[in-house]
Amino acid sequence: MTSAMAFSAVFSAPMTFGSFTSAKLNSVSSFPPSVAFLSSKSSFFRNAPFLQSSVFSAPLFKSRLSANICSRAATEKSVHDFTVKDSDGKGVSLSKYKGKVLLIVNVASKCGLTNSNYSELSHLYEKYKSQGFEILAFPCNQFGGQEPGSNEEIKQFACTRFKAEFPIFDKVDVNGSNTAPVYQFLKASAGGFLGGLIKWNFEKFLVDKNGKVVERYAPTTSPFQIEKDIQKLLVV
């Protein structure tokens, strides 16, 4: 069976992931059905043996050599090596966050996941910011055009509606030829399903105090589900 035929056969068959079924996954309207399989570290991937089969070592995705090169390059850097722009267009060195646990999220204002994510992110930030926790939000308009506003409009929306106090940076691309360098690093550090592409709004990267990515979460993972992982890094 060729890799293309195997891929087709895998996804045409009924699928069960613990208590989740393909029917339940496909019922979610806020993002494409494939989004749940985004991360090789997500619970969906760990609970689905077929996703770890040899089918996905085929040239259909990144070659193993290419992935290893990207991984080595990523391990030589940290998030702290990058400079990004704030919502006013001013440069911000992420080295200012050395010694802090970071949750980096690509956000959108008009997504079906917006209300729950912004509400829970604001709650976690308020609860843990005094312990060295920071959330870095990067608006992105690449998924369904759901972040069309200006930086000022985006910031006002988040701060007014959700009382968000965490930093919201300049709008960026997270996929494609114009991908922001920090997102190139994040994806290389924790390659996800389908070649590491960010699949939808509110994908999350958890970064330790040394600026290294320790976990990547699909958009379907709520911030509250990440709380225990945040707690573990804060006490290290």
Side-chain angles (χ1 to χ4, degrees), residues 201-217:
N201 306 306
F202 295 100
E203 184 168 342
K204 305 159 187 77
F205 292 87
L206 186 60
V207 178
D208 68 16
K209 296 177 182 179
N210 296 314
K212 300 295 185 180
V213 178
V214 297
E215 187 61 279
R216 178 177 182 173
Y217 306 92

Side-chain angles (χ1 to χ4, degrees), residues 15-94:
M15 298 178 288
T16 301
F17 309 89
S19 61
F20 290 88
T21 64
S22 57
K24 288 183 180 180
L25 292 175
N26 290 333
S27 68
V28 180
S29 60
S30 300
F31 45 85
S34 61
V35 73
F37 311 126
L38 173 63
S39 171
S40 61
K41 296 184 178 182
S42 71
S43 60
F44 292 101
F45 191 96
R46 288 195 295 267
N47 294 331
F50 82 88
L51 292 179
Q52 303 175 39
S53 71
S54 60
V55 170
F56 298 98
S57 63
L60 182 62
F61 302 103
K62 286 183 177 179
S63 70
R64 186 168 298 175
L65 175 61
S66 176
N68 288 340
I69 291 173
C70 290
S71 178
R72 285 199 301 272
T75 58
E76 294 172 0
K77 289 189 174 184
S78 79
V79 163
H80 303 146
D81 294 319
F82 294 88
T83 296
V84 298
K85 292 182 179 180
D86 64 17
S87 59
D88 295 320
K90 298 177 181 178
V92 177
S93 173
L94 297 185

Side-chain angles (χ1 to χ4, degrees), residues 39-162:
S39 171
S40 61
K41 296 184 178 182
S42 71
S43 60
F44 292 101
F45 191 96
R46 288 195 295 267
N47 294 331
F50 82 88
L51 292 179
Q52 303 175 39
S53 71
S54 60
V55 170
F56 298 98
S57 63
L60 182 62
F61 302 103
K62 286 183 177 179
S63 70
R64 186 168 298 175
L65 175 61
S66 176
N68 288 340
I69 291 173
C70 290
S71 178
R72 285 199 301 272
T75 58
E76 294 172 0
K77 289 189 174 184
S78 79
V79 163
H80 303 146
D81 294 319
F82 294 88
T83 296
V84 298
K85 292 182 179 180
D86 64 17
S87 59
D88 295 320
K90 298 177 181 178
V92 177
S93 173
L94 297 185
S95 63
K96 68 181 289 184
Y97 296 108
K98 286 182 178 180
K100 294 182 180 292
V101 174
L102 307 178
L103 188 64
I104 301 178
V105 190
N106 59 298
V107 299
S109 302
K110 299 181 181 296
C111 177
L113 299 172
T114 297
N115 288 348
S116 60
N117 272 269
Y118 261 121
S119 296
E120 293 184 19
L121 288 170
S122 294
H123 178 86
L124 290 178
Y125 187 67
E126 181 64 26
K127 185 174 181 179
Y128 294 107
K129 64 180 180 180
S130 63
Q131 300 178 41
F133 175 61
E134 290 286 345
I135 295 172
L136 310 185
F138 288 89
C140 178
N141 195 42
Q142 289 187 293
F143 306 104
Q146 295 179 348
E147 190 69 297
S150 66
N151 284 346
E152 181 59 32
E153 290 171 334
I154 293 167
K155 188 174 181 179
Q156 183 176 13
F157 168 80
C159 295
T160 301
R161 184 166 179 176
F162 300 102

